[in-house]
Amino acid sequence: MSIIRRLLISAIMGQHSTVVVTESNALQGREQAMQGVAKTHAANKNAMYPPFPEGTKSAIFGMGCFWGAERSFWKIPGVYSTQVGYAGGFTKNPTYGETCSGETGHTEAVRVIFYPDKVSFNSLLKSFWENHDPTTKDSQGNDSGPMYRSAIYCEDEEQLKAAKEAADSYSANLRTNGKTAVITTEIKKDAVFYYAEDYHQQYLQKNPGGYCSMRGTGVKYCQ
């Protein structure tokens, strides 16, 4: 996908981002899961589908365009695998086009499979807070629309508690550094993750010079 096409979609969506999507007005989607997604991770050659190794856990993050967000996580030691997809909305097994329509309720997301004895959930949260701007509602960099919102979708209550505490901590970090903008990150548990199309998976591994929207606030995350 070209940068021009992505920016054009983002610009169009920016004009419609005020529409509130609910379960009753969201696109219906389909029962069939996304087809054609590779079974092996293009960067680290690990599995893209469960069952994942015993002892691993998962967490889902929304940080704007999922291309750069995914790369920021797969590079972290202790992360077993990453997959990009759509989460937080209502449409079953959506396509990229449907998600970009703003009528699914989903955000572009990265599911991170990690070994908690090798990398803590808090370390993943540090990467999350520092690699995007959680204060810009429904946008990141050049990308605008609800599919680019900041989000943390937790696997269990322990992660949920940690994520909410981390949001409070990062909010304090921002204030200490003279930034008054409010964190808009959506934090909740048990969001369903739907795989994105294969060409989106590990996009920047396949296209090293490709588009990346990662722009943080410049403020470090400290608890």
Side-chain angles (χ1 to χ4, degrees):
M1 171 178 290
S2 70
I3 294 176
I4 294 176
R5 182 184 174 193
R6 172 173 273 277
L7 294 181
L8 178 60
I9 291 172
S10 178
I12 293 172
M13 275 310 307
Q15 301 172 14
H16 303 283
S17 59
T18 58
V19 176
V20 177
V21 179
T22 65
E23 188 171 6
S24 62
N25 67 12
L27 295 177
Q28 184 176 359
R30 57 200 54 78
E31 293 300 323
Q32 185 179 45
M34 184 66 67
Q35 301 295 298
V37 176
K39 295 181 180 180
T40 303
H41 197 281
N44 64 26
K45 310 308 178 186
N46 289 332
M48 287 283 287
Y49 285 91
F52 296 115
E54 185 177 353
T56 56
K57 301 198 73 173
S58 69
I60 300 170
F61 300 94
M63 303 166 62
C65 173
F66 46 24
W67 294 344
E70 183 185 22
R71 182 173 61 181
S72 72
F73 286 114
W74 86 53
K75 290 185 172 183
I76 298 175
V79 168
Y80 172 79
S81 184
T82 55
Q83 307 89 43
V84 297
Y86 314 111
F90 308 100
T91 302
K92 291 184 178 181
N93 298 300
T95 64
Y96 178 70
E98 289 170 341
T99 302
C100 286
S101 77
E103 298 180 67
T104 67
H106 290 299
T107 187
E108 292 193 11
V110 181
R111 184 172 66 178
V112 181
I113 310 300
F114 64 102
Y115 289 100
D117 59 340
K118 296 181 180 179
V119 58
S120 68
F121 181 57
N122 193 58
S123 293
L124 300 182
L125 290 172
K126 178 177 175 64
S127 181
F128 171 81
W129 297 120
E130 294 182 0
N131 282 294
H132 82 302
D133 187 345
T135 71
T136 54
K137 182 175 175 60
D138 292 347
S139 68
Q140 289 294 317
N142 294 319
D143 300 319
S144 178
M147 75 290 275
Y148 299 116
R149 68 184 182 273
S150 175
I152 305 171
Y153 302 131
C154 304
E155 182 180 68
D156 52 35
E157 290 293 337
E158 182 180 2
Q159 284 187 2
L160 186 65
K161 181 175 183 292
K164 290 180 177 179
E165 290 176 349
D168 290 340
S169 294
Y170 196 61
S171 181
N173 298 156
L174 291 172
R175 291 194 300 271
T176 298
N177 284 271
K179 297 183 182 294
T180 59
V182 176
I183 288 176
T184 64
T185 303
E186 178 182 41
I187 302 175
K188 64 181 184 180
K189 188 167 71 75
D190 297 332
V192 178
F193 175 83
Y194 297 102
Y195 285 83
E197 294 81 350
D198 185 67
Y199 66 86
H200 287 302
Q201 306 295 334
Q202 298 88 60
Y203 181 85
L204 293 180
Q205 175 70 18
K206 303 168 185 173
N207 303 274
Y211 174 73
C212 177
S213 67
M214 294 290 93
R215 301 289 185 276
T217 64
V219 175
K220 295 295 184 181
Y221 167 64
C222 303
Q223 279 193 310

